[in-house]
Structures are given as C-alpha cells and as structure tokens.
Amino acid sequence: MAARIGLTGGIGSGKSTVLGMLQALGAAAIDADAISRATTAAGGAAIAAIREKFGPDFVTADGALDRGRMRERAYAHPEARRELEQIIHPLVGEEIARQVDAALAAGARCIVFDIPLLVESGRWRHQLDRVLVVDCEPETQVARVSARSGLAPDEVRAIIAAQAPRALRLAAADLVICNEGLTLEALRNEVEQAARTFGL
C-alpha cells in the first residue's frame, strides 16, 4: 500500500523544491491547490454551479470565476465563501481520488499531497499516513519571497500572517525538514532521508 504523505509549509519555506525532490525519488504528487484552481478556471467543473448559485456576473467573459468580484462578495457576505466551498470541495475531492487511483494503478509507492491549507482544514489529517512540514525562520521566508517576487517585506509578512501559524504547522508535523541555511545538496540529503521512511 502506498504511503500517503501530506506536505505543507509556509510561503518561501522551500516546499515546492522539496516536492520536486520527492518526485525525482519516485513519489507521485497531487497538487490540491492546482486542482482547486482548475475547477474555477475557464470551462472548469465548478463554473456551471457557480453561475447558477451566484449569477452570471460572477463568471468572466472567457468562462472563469471572476475572483475579484467573488472576493468582494465574500468580504461583504461571509456565507458566500462557504457556499463557494460547498461547490468546489466535492469536485476537488473527486479529482484527487481519481489521481490517487491513477497513481496506485501506475505502482506508486508513495503519494505526496501538496496541501497549502493542510493544517487549517481539519478534513485532511485522517486521510494521510504522515505529515511532512518544511520549515524555516520567518525572516528567511521574507527574504526569499522578496527576492523571488519583488514584493516588499511588509507585504510578505502580511501573507505569512494570513497563513497558519508556524507553531500550529509544527505541532501537526510527523516529520520536519528545517530548510534554514542549507545548500541545495544538504536539502536533498534531508529529503532523501525522509523519503526512505516513506518507502521510496
């Protein structure tokens, strides 16, 4: 039976790099965020239900969710976010199940679920064998994201503040990779050690 690993980490922690290394070692990766975005992209599986529930104004001319308008609606009417989630979550669940079946059919020994809101969303933990958290100091996150995206440090701090608190992520972890001051090679060694415990 393939090990099911939940991977999470704050912005700038190096989570995507770690995921790529795990894939290189043979893990199948399932990107919950990308699946969720696809449901509300042009022609996505959620669009018809969004149009029906919220009206045509919430769908752009090219057939995608109007994110700006939905953000305004959710800000003014908090229940709108829940209504949107009730449309999207079942579709995401179905697609994840389909990708898991495909990975198992292909003989994957380890499936890594890249879940940004793993800690915030209580519904994930029971579906996973272990949770792997990629961690680093907040100031390291700020420096990395500022360098990568050109955002001002205060903007990056605001993004970090909106994510799950670091202590909460660490408390949920079965395994932590501390990506602080590591070379890429040293990080790869850490990932390889973790991967061995996942059956890779």
Side-chain angles (χ1 to χ4, degrees), residues 8-28:
T8 196
I11 187 170
S13 63
K15 177 176 66 72
S16 300
T17 304
V18 168
L19 180 63
M21 291 174 175
L22 287 167
Q23 285 179 279
L25 294 166

Side-chain angles (χ1 to χ4, degrees), residues 56-159:
D57 290 349
F58 287 85
V59 178
T60 63
D62 65 348
L65 170 67
D66 187 328
R67 290 179 183 280
R69 185 161 280 184
M70 184 57 78
R71 247 193 312 275
E72 285 169 23
R73 172 71 173 262
Y75 188 71
H77 305 281
E79 75 279 2
R81 178 190 292 272
R82 282 190 300 278
E83 291 168 348
L84 181 64
E85 286 172 353
Q86 283 167 357
I87 293 170
I88 293 173
H89 284 170
L91 295 169
V92 171
E94 286 168 23
E95 178 58 21
I96 285 174
R98 195 192 64 71
Q99 290 190 18
V100 167
D101 288 345
L104 293 173
R109 297 193 309 276
C110 175
I111 301 173
V112 179
F113 296 83
D114 179 1
I115 309 168
L117 300 178
L118 189 153
V119 175
E120 295 92 324
S121 154
R123 64 200 178 91
W124 270 104
R125 190 63 186 94
H126 69 281
Q127 300 177 48
L128 303 167
D129 296 319
R130 298 172 81 185
V131 171
L132 171 61
V133 172
V134 185
D135 183 59
C136 64
E137 294 294 331
E139 284 310 305
T140 303
Q141 290 178 264
V142 171
R144 284 178 184 158
V145 177
S146 294
R148 175 175 85 198
S149 65
L151 290 173
D154 282 349
E155 291 177 282
V156 181
R157 287 190 191 96
I159 294 169

Side-chain angles (χ1 to χ4, degrees), residues 159-190:
I159 294 169
I160 292 169
Q163 295 186 329
R166 183 183 182 196
L168 202 61
R169 269 198 304 272
L170 292 173
D174 296 305
L175 198 65
V176 177
I177 290 180
C178 181
N179 186 19
E180 188 68 52
L182 297 182
T183 63
L184 214 51
E185 197 50 48
L187 178 60
R188 188 173 285 108
N189 288 341
E190 293 278 323

